[in-house]
Amino acid sequence: MLTKKQIQLLEFIQARMARDGVPPSFDEMKLALDLRSKSGIHRLVTALEERGFIRRLPHRARALEIVRLPDTLSKGSGFQPRVIEGSVPERQSPAPRGAMDVAISAIELPVMGRIAAGVPIEAISEISHHIAVPSTMLSAQDHHYALEVKGDSMIEAGINDGDVVVIRETTIAENGDIVVALVEGFEATLKRFRRKGGMIALEAANPAYETRVLPEDKVRVQGRLVGLIRSY
């Protein structure tokens, strides 16, 4: 799972390579991500390289290869790994054949406060702030919102305390989905959903927490997890 900044950097590199035919400089990356120093960019590039998303080519100035994209960015894009190398041309040249014509856009989603990944907390209904989410993470026909995670009961599903989860509004869930569940009308929690006859099991992804099994009429699904953003 990539962090928010890693996704932003990968999007920026991809868009600039598609537009100009060369990758951006570290200074341009720093300005685009609003970082104070290039050392932060070095750490992000190294993290993307270690995770197999990009490759730096030795002995070539500003030479990067995008090896792959996360599913949320590559779905439907027709992406193929391609090497772009060298210095910035004196005048802008046409984009290389096969380059993508459009840049990835972002959509502002409301962050509806905190959701418990632990003991359920009071239901969330007020917007605390907004967060930019890659549009490719969302489906155009549905409504989405974001929640900040509080607690560690979903840690083995890769969801940590302080993460922001992206939720697609729905009242329907399949067994195994991670959902926002409203319990008895006033407690909201993030758990894995299981239907067992007329009962609903809300499963944690941490052995320290017990599964809650409740009558079907005591649980209302409010959304399903579709993405996660992590900040360090």
Side-chain angles (χ1 to χ4, degrees):
M1 186 69 66
L2 297 182
T3 68
K4 175 183 176 181
K5 286 294 186 184
Q6 289 165 0
I7 290 174
Q8 288 176 343
L9 181 59
L10 197 57
E11 287 180 323
F12 179 65
I13 294 171
Q14 179 193 21
R16 285 294 300 273
M17 289 170 68
R19 190 191 75 181
D20 299 338
V22 292
S25 68
F26 275 47
D27 281 325
E28 291 169 330
M29 296 179 199
K30 177 174 70 73
L31 290 173
L33 271 68
D34 195 26
L35 297 181
R36 294 183 179 181
S37 69
K38 286 191 290 186
S39 63
I41 294 297
H42 279 281
R43 287 194 293 270
L44 290 172
V45 168
T46 298
L48 288 172
E49 188 175 29
E50 290 174 347
R51 287 161 174 78
F53 289 95
I54 65 173
R55 181 182 299 126
R56 284 182 282 194
L57 304 179
H59 312 303
R60 301 183 190 180
R62 291 178 60 176
L64 293 175
E65 176 185 10
I66 297 182
V67 179
R68 65 187 180 95
L69 293 175
D71 291 341
T72 53
L73 299 186
S74 61
K75 191 179 296 181
S77 70
F79 170 79
Q80 293 294 329
R82 179 171 52 85
V83 178
I84 301 296
E85 55 173 277
S87 57
V88 178
E90 293 182 0
R91 60 184 179 83
Q92 185 169 326
S93 58
R97 197 162 97 189
M100 293 175 60
D101 294 327
V102 296
I104 301 297
S105 61
I107 293 176
E108 293 280 329
L109 287 186
V111 179
M112 307 295 290
R114 289 187 168 190
I115 183 74
V119 179
I121 58 176
E122 190 171 337
I124 304 299
S125 61
E126 294 185 2
I127 298 173
S128 61
H129 60 285
H130 286 76
I131 190 169
V133 175
S135 59
T136 46
M137 186 182 288
L138 313 175
S139 53
Q141 68 271 25
D142 296 312
H143 293 287
H144 300 78
Y145 58 94
L147 293 165
E148 183 182 350
V149 174
K150 179 179 175 63
D152 62 355
S153 76
M154 298 302 291
I155 194 167
E156 291 189 4
I159 302 171
N160 299 333
D161 183 49
D163 286 349
V164 172
V165 288
V166 179
I167 305 297
R168 177 173 64 85
E169 287 188 19
T170 181
T171 59
I172 300 170
E174 300 291 336
N175 283 344
D177 286 346
I178 296 176
V179 303
V180 173
L182 190 65
V183 179
E184 297 184 340
F186 66 93
E187 294 178 334
T189 188
L190 186 74
K191 290 290 183 294
R192 197 174 297 279
F193 177 94
R194 304 277 183 195
R195 187 183 300 276
K196 300 180 178 181
M199 306 294 283
I200 300 296
L202 299 176
E203 299 176 351
N206 183 335
Y209 294 83
E210 293 183 358
T211 296
R212 296 187 72 188
V213 180
L214 299 143
E216 188 174 9
D217 61 357
K218 299 295 185 182
V219 178
R220 191 169 77 225
V221 173
Q222 294 192 309
R224 184 173 66 82
L225 176 73
V226 296
L228 183 144
I229 299 170
R230 177 163 299 151
S231 298
Y232 291 98

